[in-house]
Amino acid sequence: MNTDTSLNPTPLPISYIGTLQEALKFSDADAALNRTGTISSAQKKRLERAWSRLLIGGLIGIAAVTIAATFAFFMAQRQSSFILQAAGIALTFFNAFIVIRLAQSRIRLNTDINGAVTRTEGIVRHTVRISGRTARYLLEVNGERMLVEKPVFFAFEDNRRYALYRTAASKTLISAEKLEL
């Protein structure tokens, strides 16, 4: 009878990969401030950088849609085409929608930066949703689902108790800590 387990190793289930601090990019000082309901200056800067990236993408989108709408109106006038005229109008409304969404995002950012940090405590459960070739990583706490990035998803142990700290308006996860059961 062979008792050597190296020939037949039993794999241990991996329930998490990485640390919460690495995945969410927060420090011990950030976490200490979050426990008091305050957002740290480093977290504020990260939120502002994310909004700046969104703004750049939004401005590029606005410029592209403006050019497309202008072209549609120009061609509609030259060809007396109602369909191109309608397309130009639809693109103009879409442009307005982009501007409104950017404004809403900025208002949420201002509320997040100046507001309190909210704490949610509970058992975290993992859910992966596959749609085509795309995987969506969801964490569920107290019946509330949060869409997170893959490294954040794998930094949490499934069926363990955590305290999650999120921004007030956008509900962005900014830090978390594992609690004892």
Side-chain angles (χ1 to χ4, degrees):
M1 180 168 153
N2 187 358
T3 58
D4 187 328
T5 59
S6 65
L7 296 175
N8 230 351
T10 304
L12 297 174
I14 297 175
S15 56
Y16 67 98
I17 300 171
T19 67
L20 291 169
Q21 284 187 320
E22 292 168 351
L24 292 170
K25 298 173 180 69
F26 69 93
S27 67
D28 290 334
D30 295 334
L33 276 172
N34 294 158
R35 281 185 211 103
T36 67
T38 309
I39 189 168
S40 74
S41 60
Q43 290 168 327
K44 288 178 184 179
K45 287 178 184 173
R46 265 195 303 283
L47 290 172
E48 287 173 346
R49 279 195 303 269
W51 190 82
S52 294
R53 287 190 300 273
L54 177 68
L55 177 64
I56 289 169
L59 292 175
I60 290 170
I62 289 169
V65 172
T66 300
I67 290 169
T70 303
F71 182 74
F73 284 131
F74 174 75
M75 292 305 291
Q77 185 178 16
R78 296 201 67 186
Q79 298 177 3
S80 297
S81 171
F82 174 75
I83 293 174
L84 287 173
Q85 185 77 21
I89 292 169
L91 287 169
T92 302
F93 277 110
F94 183 64
N95 231 357
F97 176 76
I98 293 171
V99 171
I100 289 168
R101 295 297 292 192
L102 284 173
Q104 287 174 337
S105 177
R106 183 62 202 192
I107 291 167
R108 261 190 246 105
L109 173 67
N110 288 342
T111 303
D112 286 344
I113 287 174
N114 299 317
V117 171
T118 61
R119 177 185 171 153
T120 303
E121 186 177 312
I123 304 292
V124 172
R125 290 184 176 50
H126 290 135
T127 304
V128 178
R129 297 263 167 106
I130 306 294
S131 176
R133 292 183 163 198
T134 305
R136 293 177 40 182
Y137 299 94
L138 300 164
L139 297 176
E140 184 177 330
V141 180
N142 299 333
E144 185 179 355
R145 290 189 176 147
M146 291 175 276
L147 181 64
V148 295
E149 295 176 357
K150 186 177 181 179
V152 174
F153 181 83
F154 285 111
F156 282 91
E157 289 184 59
D158 195 33
N159 291 316
R160 292 296 306 251
R161 187 169 195 73
Y162 285 90
L164 285 72
Y165 300 95
R166 303 185 324 174
T167 58
S170 67
K171 304 291 185 199
T172 302
L173 184 61
I174 55 174
S175 69
E177 59 188 344
K178 185 170 27 172
L179 304 173
E180 295 301 320
L181 293 174

